[in-house]
């Protein structure tokens, strides 16, 4: 285990932002993790996974711990289900492909989400009608202050819409080292009604889809809709879709009957943030190298040399305009590193 100094983080964040880590350490084993957390002289630690959900706005004056723990193992099995434990540094999409190769169902709708498996609980990753919490059993995390490991059950994680304990009270306090998931070996429960999955399956000529077909459909839709960070720096959806109370929704719906919405519960409604941003005229707009994607108003992009501060300033301008126009606050989904 080596502690490096003044390391560029450009390759380590999907926005492709140039920023430096004062200190940098690649954590490849649980022993490394234990050792590095006990080192004296580095009071500030910063946890880095795949860097696909962060906007770095300045150099990081801390010891950046790049979590690269690897390994997948089966920890329990019945005729119907299999429980697996996945180390935090395993790439999420590679994990999805692994589960498909074994015919384990449950995370096929979450295909092609960038980042690490250990980060998946932080915002309870979700797409196309499925969230991590649907297959989650527990995770192991190490307390940054004491280096003592702790198991977090599903209840402990307090999962919500792109939210968890680790994004709130537990923020920056624990490093997730592994995640346990329960997947289906037989009688896969298919989720095809969300988004354009059914339409894509039809276009692919598939009548009776398998989990692999669903994964392929999701991959095709995502490739068409979302920019690949390798080609255009971005962090996926920059904002969360706002959830309105029934009274706020009824008043909004009265003023904007054409606006799309999803009923979440009897008393709450979700409005697509992308629609609100598009109505404010930001879709496809570019300010220097900071812009809003041409196909998806929810995605802020770096055309090359935008700084984190420039991208943040654009995000704040969008939030203000949406508030002025609709009286609705849109929160960031991306972690802003200030
Ligand atoms: C093109 C694109 C599409 C996307 N689509 C989706 C989508 O459909 N659904 C979705 O939910 N997300 C989506 N995302 C967001 C992102 O992929 C996920 O949030 C992913 O889980 C982030 O993982 P990461 O390892 O890259 O996290 P990072 O960006 O490295 O870290 C995110 C936060 O978690 C903390 N962290 C990282 N690792 C750990 C750890 N082991 N323990 C504790 N804290 C940690 C970091 O300090 C940071 O605050 C998308 C992103 C992109 C670029």
């Amino acid at each position: 285990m080596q502690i490096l100094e003044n390391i560029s983080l450009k390759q380590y964040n999907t926005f492709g932002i140039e920023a430096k880590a004062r200190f940098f350490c690649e954590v490849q084993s649980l022993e490394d993790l234990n050792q590095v957390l006990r080192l004296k002289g580095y009071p500030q630690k910063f946890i880095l996974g795949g860097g696909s959900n962060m906007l770095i706005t300045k150099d990081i004056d801390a010891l950046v711990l790049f979590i690269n723990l690897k390994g997948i193992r089966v920890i329990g099995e019945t005729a119907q289900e299999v429980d697996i434990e996945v180390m935090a540094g395993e790439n999420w999409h590679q994990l999805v492909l692994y589960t498909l190769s074994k015919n384990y169902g449950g995370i096929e709708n979450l295909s092609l989400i960038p980042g690490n498996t250990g980060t998946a609980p932080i915002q309870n990753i979700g797409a196309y009608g499925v969230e991590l919490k649907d297959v989650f059993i527990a995770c192991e995390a190490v307390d940054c202050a004491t280096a003592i490991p702790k198991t977090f059950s599903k209840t402990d994680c307090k999962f919500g819409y792109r939210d968890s304990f680790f994004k709130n009270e537990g923020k920056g306090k624990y490093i997730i080292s592994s995640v346990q998931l329960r997947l289906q070996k037989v009688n896969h429960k298919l989720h095809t009604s969300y988004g354009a999955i059914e339409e894509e399956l039809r276009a692919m000529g598939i009548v009776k889809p398998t989990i692999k077909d669903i994964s392929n459909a999701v991959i095709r839709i995502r490739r068409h809709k979302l920019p690949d960070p390798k080609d255009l720096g971005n962090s996926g959806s920059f904002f969360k879709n706002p959830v309105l109370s029934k009274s706020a929704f009824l008043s909004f719906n009265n003023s904007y009957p054409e606006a799309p919405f999803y009923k979440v519960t009897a008393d709450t409604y979700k409005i697509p943030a992308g629609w609100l941003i598009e109505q404010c005229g930001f879709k496809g707009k570019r300010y220097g190298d900071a812009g809003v994607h041409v196909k998806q108003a929810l995605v802020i992009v770096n055309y090359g040399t935008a700084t984190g501060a420039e991208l943040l300033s654009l995000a704040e301008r969008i939030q203000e305009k949406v508030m002025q126009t609709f009286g609705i606050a849109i929160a960031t989904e991306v972690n802003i590193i200030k």
Side-chain angles (χ1 to χ4, degrees), residues 284-296:
K285 283 276 161 63
R286 181 172 171 171
Y287 309 86
D289 269 356
V292 176
H293 193 239
V294 284
K295 285 190 194 161
Q296 175 53 272

Side-chain angles (χ1 to χ4, degrees), residues 14 47-54 67 88 113-116 118-120 122-123 125-127 162 174-176 222 226-227 229 234-236 333 335:
T14 59
I47 315 160
L48 175 67
S52 67
N53 202 18
M54 56 173 65
I67 307 301
I113 297 182
N116 285 358
T119 324
I122 307 276
Q123 73 158 10
I125 59 167
R162 301 295 183 274
Y174 294 92
I175 297 178
I176 296 175
R222 293 183 70 101
L226 286 170
N234 76 91
S235 217
E333 178 178 318
N335 297 278

Side-chain angles (χ1 to χ4, degrees), residues 91-125:
N91 173 270
W92 176 264
H93 181 61
Q94 291 307 315
L95 170 68
V96 175
L97 296 182
Y98 162 85
T99 62
L100 292 172
S101 75
K102 300 279 184 191
N103 201 32
Y104 299 158
I107 53 175
E108 56 281 358
N109 290 49
L110 304 179
S111 296
L112 218 61
I113 297 182
N116 285 358
T117 303
T119 324
I122 307 276
Q123 73 158 10
N124 178 28
I125 59 167

